[in-house]
Amino acid sequence: MVVVARVNTVAFQGIDVLGIDVQVQMSGGIVAFTVVGLPDKAVGESRERVRAALHALGLALPAKRITVNLAPADVLKEGSHFDLPIALGLLTVMGVLPDAEIARYVALGELALDGALTPVAGVLPAAIDALANDRGLICPAACGGEAAWAGPELDVLAPANLLALINHFKGTQVLTPPKPRLQEQDAPPPDLRDVKGNETAKRALEVAAAGSHNLLMVGPPGSGKSMLAARLPGLLPPLDPAEALEVSMIHSVGGLLEEGRLLRQRPYRAPHQSASLPALVGGGTRARPGEISLAHQGVLFLDELPEFPRALLEALRQPLETGKAVVSRANHHVTYPARVQLVAAMNPCRCGHLDDASLACARAPKCAADYQSKISGPLFDRIDLHIDVPAVSPADLSLPPPAEGSADIAARVAVARAIQAERYGGFGPYPAGRAVRTNAEADGELLEKVASPDASGRALLTEAAERLKLSARGYHRVMRVGRTLADLDGAEGVRRRHIAEALSYRRIAPGR
Ligand SMILES: Nc1ncnc2c1ncn2[C@@H]1O[C@H](COP(=O)(O)OP(=O)(O)O)[C@@H](O)[C@H]1O
Ligand SMILES: [Mg+2]
């Protein structure tokens, strides 16, 4: 019988995995059961669940001094997935499980009082890490489909309860390896065909999809802004396998992969104005990715933008700029990927009817300036496309559905995206370490290189910049959008007509 048992498990820092060694020692002395090594509250409570689960198996904890050490001791251990490795360590030290076998696996899972294994967050990254370290993985049955995504070479044991696992090692009831599962293609994403009229807005949505530009829609209630936003993911190219894995890892760590099924569609997240800062950017009492990371490689929709507290909007600026959300923990920082396309919508003023004299309130148009000034200039600057979405007329609503649907537009978007991938692929990571793949990400010197308009385009841009008092950022925004319009056109260079259209996606906020 071993004196100290060791079981491999993991801790998460962002979507990165850190190996944790669970050491269980049984010795003489005062009867006790302690867990040391910077456990958080959920880990501390592990003791009670483990004790109850062993009791359910008919095993009493030996009347000895039991010490569980989670090493390295300087990493905070968060979450409930330590139940399983602790229980396995105890069973090993008690001689129920073979220690040489257990050492070949990484284990994570939460125990119910009856010994059943309940699902935990982070199984996918843990599985990928286990395979990289030539180990197998033991996880709850409900997470088996997720673990199997690490590859067919990974040895996955996904028992429904502790007893099934013990029987597996005894050889009396062998566990079958789980199969990888995909998110079922439930309802097809909403189609742009449902939107009648609003041609300018649809064109802007296509441009946004093509260059992955952020988009702001301003219009009265009921003009179709939410409808349009929800249709953007359907215009974007599907996730490639590497992206699908990365997005699924974030959702896994967030505990959101339904029955361990990998995601196939680009995420679309629409957090409410009352969301907390941790819910939006990440962190909180337990380190979890926020909405901006759950929307990674997809769309983050902020409806009624000025209704979001200013502090929240300011906190989004950094991730929007860098594509990463940095969350501070007690003694370190955690980084989650957060490369999103932002779509924001707002009413022109609080009551929403600024442009309709019969409905507008008595304070118009002053109220609009007040309302729109709630959003800081720097945030506006990160949104390349600003458009008006006027109310649809009854005549438009009675039109037959448009001939062109999301699939047709997505095909054009895919071509424009391929042109961009090829162009930026030739430049390598730019600037240092940050790979540019779409026009929206091009800036400064790179933008000058790829998006310089022809002479008449340049003249128009210079003239408009003076007349509209464009800031340097505003000037570059027009160039970026111009580049995307040229790509949609299949044009080598940016021409005057592209600059002219790009300038039309610059709605001027009153009072600015
Ligand atoms: N262009 C449109 N074509 C068809 N229906 C529309 C259109 N615009 C609005 N609607 C209808 O009005 C409802 C409200 O639209 P919504 O997108 O929520 O407006 P908003 O977000 O601008 O307030 C939609 O559910 C839809 O039924
Ligand atoms: Mg709406």
Side-chain angles (χ1 to χ4, degrees):
M1 200 164 94
V2 285
V3 188
V4 179
R6 299 193 120 101
V7 183
N8 309 304
T9 187
V10 291
F12 300 102
Q13 299 207 323
I15 58 169
D16 295 331
V17 169
L18 226 93
I20 300 289
D21 191 21
V22 178
Q23 303 156 2
V24 181
Q25 187 196 43
M26 229 186 300
S27 61
I30 302 162
V31 174
F33 184 6
T34 44
V35 179
V36 298
L38 221 57
D40 81 345
K41 199 154 181 298
V43 181
E45 288 170 349
S46 252
R47 288 180 312 175
E48 299 311 321
R49 290 190 294 269
V50 169
R51 194 198 301 272
L54 293 192
H55 182 78
L57 289 177
L59 295 169
L61 279 186
K64 299 241 170 99
R65 184 183 181 83
I66 299 166
T67 312
V68 175
N69 181 32
L70 309 172
D74 60 344
V75 178
L76 179 66
K77 319 299 183 308
E78 293 179 295
S80 53
H81 65 268
F82 292 93
D83 293 2
L84 180 62
I86 292 173
L88 296 185
L90 275 169
L91 290 168
T92 308
V93 91
M94 288 158 70
V96 178
L97 288 174
D99 65 322
E101 284 282 298
I102 292 296
R104 294 198 302 106
Y105 288 91
V106 171
L108 74 168
E110 181 180 324
L111 283 169
L113 300 183
D114 61 356
L117 282 166
T118 46
V120 287
V123 168
L124 181 60
I128 290 170
D129 187 67
L131 185 63
N133 289 309
D134 266 330
R135 291 190 174 129
L137 186 87
I138 307 178
C139 67
C143 303
E146 181 181 338
W149 275 106
E153 321 85 271
L154 179 71
D155 175 11
V156 181
L157 300 180
N161 52 50
L162 266 186
L163 187 62
L165 188 68
I166 295 172
N167 287 339
H168 175 84
F169 282 112
K170 284 208 175 114
T172 50
Q173 179 200 359
V174 175
L175 291 165
T176 46
K179 296 232 174 356
R181 282 199 286 187
L182 269 181
Q183 193 67 261
E184 260 125 52
Q185 191 91 36
D186 29 34
D191 199 285
L192 213 51
R193 215 173 248 132
D194 309 334
V195 181
K196 297 182 177 163
N198 278 349
E199 295 306 331
T200 315
K202 282 196 227 169
R203 167 72 176 166
L205 204 62
E206 174 175 346
V207 177
S212 115
H213 301 285
N214 295 333
L215 170 69
L216 171 70
M217 296 182 281
V218 184
S223 60
K225 303 182 295 296
S226 301
M227 255 185 123
L228 286 158
R231 281 155 182 79
L232 178 56
L235 304 185
L236 299 171
L239 291 172
D240 69 31
E243 288 171 338
L245 197 64
E246 189 190 20
V247 172
S248 297
M249 296 245 265
I250 301 170
H251 286 245
S252 171
V253 171
L256 293 176
L257 276 193
E258 264 169 59
E259 295 180 24
R261 291 192 167 99
L262 226 62
L263 295 164
R264 281 195 294 196
Q265 290 178 357
R266 288 194 185 261
Y268 172 80
R269 309 285 305 183
H272 190 254
Q273 300 90 339
S274 64
S276 65
L277 189 69
L280 210 58
V281 183
T285 48
R286 272 206 200 177
R288 284 285 160 98
E291 290 291 338
I292 191 157
S293 294
L294 295 172
H296 180 59
Q297 302 290 13
V299 175
L300 180 71
F301 178 49
L302 300 182
D303 202 0
E304 314 291 357
L305 190 66
E307 302 291 342
F308 281 82
R310 189 145 188 160
L312 274 190
L313 296 181
E314 294 304 300
L316 287 178
R317 267 170 54 192
Q318 183 73 12
L320 285 177
E321 186 92 325
T322 60
K324 292 190 183 93
V326 179
V327 175
S328 50
R329 309 300 298 153
N331 54 1
H332 64 283
H333 293 282
V334 171
T335 306
Y336 296 100
R339 216 167 166 147
V340 303
Q341 205 172 337
L342 174 71
V343 178
M346 60 188 277
N347 295 329
C349 58
R350 186 174 290 281
C351 67
H353 298 288
L354 179 71
D355 297 324
D356 189 333
S358 61
L359 293 173
C361 68
R363 293 187 58 238
K366 166 100 173 57
C367 60
D370 286 352
Y371 194 59
Q372 296 182 23
S373 70
K374 283 179 141 189
I375 298 158
S376 70
L379 181 64
F380 265 124
D381 276 343
R382 278 170 186 72
I383 305 180
D384 286 342
L385 300 164
H386 296 190
I387 58 162
D388 274 314
V389 184
V392 269
S393 65
D396 275 344
L397 286 177
S398 60
L399 290 173
E404 195 172 54
S406 289
D408 309 280
I409 300 171
R412 290 199 295 268
V413 167
V415 173
R417 286 269 182 141
I419 294 172
Q420 294 168 66
E422 196 185 323
R423 174 189 311 131
Y424 296 116
F427 284 103
Y430 186 102
R434 185 157 141 65
V436 171
R437 290 173 304 179
T438 55
N439 294 332
E441 293 161 330
D443 210 355
E445 208 183 317
L446 178 65
L447 186 66
E448 286 291 344
K449 238 183 239 165
V450 302
S452 275
D454 61 5
S456 66
R458 176 71 73 182
L460 175 62
L461 180 55
T462 312
E463 185 202 315
E466 275 173 20
R467 194 160 36 85
L468 302 172
K469 299 200 174 48
L470 287 188
S471 64
R473 272 185 187 276
Y475 187 88
H476 283 141
R477 256 164 44 198
V478 176
M479 279 175 67
R480 267 196 292 274
V481 175
R483 183 63 262 179
T484 299
L485 292 167
D487 288 340
L488 275 171
D489 229 3
E492 184 83 20
V494 180
R495 311 239 174 90
R496 185 182 176 92
R497 66 168 184 275
H498 303 133
I499 295 295
E501 187 179 342
L503 282 166
S504 75
Y505 300 130
R506 286 196 71 267
R507 181 182 188 280
I508 315 295
R512 241 172 232 282

